[in-house]
């Protein structure tokens, strides 16, 4: 009579090995799935970085551009530039010293003078961005119904080497003796990415070397000077580009 062969019975040790192997494979699968959904931390920019898009001055072409900070845009960024100014009264020492002072900031990254301003947030109007940036960079508080003077729109892709930026420039007049500030001191103080707040005479704008101003901000100040002080000479020789693309206006303050 033929005997029946039975499969070997699994021992406890063999079952433990099978269970351990299955657990290890399952754990690897879970880790792989988890890693695929976790955003990778940006690495430092290498010299062989591939740029998707460009900047005319750097001979980089394309529809999208990634800056050295790994921030990429598939279109121009929108920003505001603000020329904060106050009337300068004549004095006994200088009876002809009539005009305006303008407040600019010194950037902490390049140590250059720049107009107050920054990028417009998603869902934010340019007018609201003016109020926010003014408070963040100088502590100066202006009300929403305070008149803003439109200086112009600056959209030349060459104007800022970080990326293509279109900026709407506004003039904001403040009363030096009645200035409202966030800290209650009545004095502008540098904040956010500004190193210091500097007051200069508007009539002296253009007499400073170009390297003292960031990007095309000297052009913005010169345009404002031509609008508000039409009888004063405007020195254009130190501007970033003589043919910088922009549209300027002489509109009355926006109520």
């Amino acid at each position: 009579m033929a005997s029946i062969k039975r499969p070997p019975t699994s021992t406890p040790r063999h079952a433990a090995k099978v269970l351990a192997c299955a657990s290890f494979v399952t754990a690897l699968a879970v880790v792989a799935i988890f890693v695929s959904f976790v955003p990778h931390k940006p690495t430092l920019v290498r010299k062989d970085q591939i740029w998707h898009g460009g900047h005319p001055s750097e001979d980089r072409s394309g529809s999208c551009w990634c800056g050295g900070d790994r921030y990429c845009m598939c279109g121009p960024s929108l920003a505001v530039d603000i020329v904060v100014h106050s009337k300068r009264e004549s004095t006994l020492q200088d009876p002809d010293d009539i005009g305006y002072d303008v407040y600019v900031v010194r950037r902490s990254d390049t140590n250059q003078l720049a107009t107050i301003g920054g990028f417009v947030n998603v869902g934010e109007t340019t007018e609201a961005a003016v109020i926010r940036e003014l408070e963040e960079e100088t502590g100066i508080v202006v009300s929403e119904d305070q008149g803003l003077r439109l200086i112009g729109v600056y959209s030349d892709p060459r104007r800022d080497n970080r990326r293509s930026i279109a900026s709407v420039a506004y003039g904001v007049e403040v009363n030096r003796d009645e200035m409202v500030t966030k800290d209650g001191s009545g004095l502008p103080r540098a904040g956010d990415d500004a190193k210091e707040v500097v007051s200069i005479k508007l009539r002296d704008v253009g007499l400073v070397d170009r390297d003292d101003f960031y990007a095309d901000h000297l052009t913005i100040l010169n345009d404002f000077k031509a609008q508000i002080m039409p009888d004063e000479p405007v020195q254009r020789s130190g501007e970033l580009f003589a043919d910088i693309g922009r549209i300027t206006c002489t509109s009355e303050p926006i109520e």
Side-chain angles (χ1 to χ4, degrees):
M1 187 173 179
S3 62
I4 301 176
K5 293 185 177 180
R6 301 179 182 276
T9 305
S10 176
T11 62
R13 179 178 296 179
H14 177 73
K17 289 183 178 180
V18 172
L19 181 60
C21 182
S23 299
F24 179 72
V25 172
T26 302
L28 286 179
V30 171
V31 170
I33 294 173
F34 176 77
V35 169
S36 66
F37 284 99
V38 174
H40 297 283
K41 183 178 180 180
T43 58
L44 294 177
V45 178
R46 305 187 308 272
K47 291 184 178 180
D48 59 349
Q49 168 121 13
I50 298 176
W51 301 91
H52 301 281
H55 190 283
S57 298
E58 300 297 331
D59 193 25
R60 297 192 296 265
S61 61
S63 59
C64 298
W65 189 80
C66 300
D69 53 3
R70 309 283 297 195
Y71 182 75
C72 302
M73 291 293 295
C74 293
S77 301
L78 180 61
V80 291
D81 283 287
I82 314 157
V83 179
V84 183
H85 57 285
S86 61
K87 289 183 179 180
R88 169 180 286 274
E89 304 295 340
S90 62
T91 63
L92 293 177
Q93 293 80 9
D94 191 356
D96 296 326
D97 190 16
I98 301 175
Y100 294 88
D101 287 328
V102 293
Y103 293 99
V104 295
V105 294
R106 188 173 299 280
R107 294 176 63 96
S108 58
D109 54 355
T110 66
N111 204 42
Q112 293 173 296
L113 296 177
T115 59
I116 301 158
F119 293 109
V120 179
N121 292 332
V122 174
E124 185 180 44
T125 65
T126 56
E127 293 81 8
V130 167
I131 296 172
R132 175 181 56 78
E133 286 288 348
L134 188 56
E135 182 174 342
E136 289 178 357
E137 292 197 2
T138 67
I140 298 175
V141 178
V142 295
S143 60
E144 294 184 0
D145 59 352
Q146 182 164 343
L148 305 180
R149 177 185 295 273
L150 183 61
I151 300 173
V153 178
Y154 297 76
S155 59
D156 196 309
R158 302 170 299 169
R159 63 181 299 269
D160 195 312
N161 197 39
R162 293 173 299 174
R163 59 179 65 90
S164 179
I165 301 174
S167 181
V168 184
Y170 292 94
V172 178
E173 185 171 352
V174 296
N175 188 321
R176 185 191 302 271
D177 299 325
E178 300 176 2
M179 188 180 298
V180 178
T181 57
K182 184 169 54 177
D183 61 2
S185 67
L187 299 173
R189 302 183 188 278
D192 198 15
D193 55 355
K195 186 176 180 180
E196 64 175 329
V197 180
V198 181
S199 175
I200 59 177
K201 293 181 181 180
L202 183 58
R203 62 170 51 182
D204 291 342
V205 168
L207 304 179
V208 184
D209 292 339
R210 185 194 68 186
D211 290 341
D212 283 340
F213 284 95
Y214 181 77
D216 66 343
H217 294 189
L218 177 57
T219 300
I220 295 176
L221 290 170
N222 271 333
D223 288 346
F224 177 71
K225 179 181 179 180
Q227 293 175 10
I228 201 170
M229 301 180 70
D231 296 331
E232 288 288 329
V234 177
Q235 178 58 257
R236 298 280 186 181
S237 61
E239 294 181 357
L240 185 63
F241 294 106
D243 60 343
I244 196 98
R246 80 265 195 202
I247 295 178
T248 60
C249 56
T250 57
S251 63
E252 294 299 319
I254 303 170
E255 301 297 339

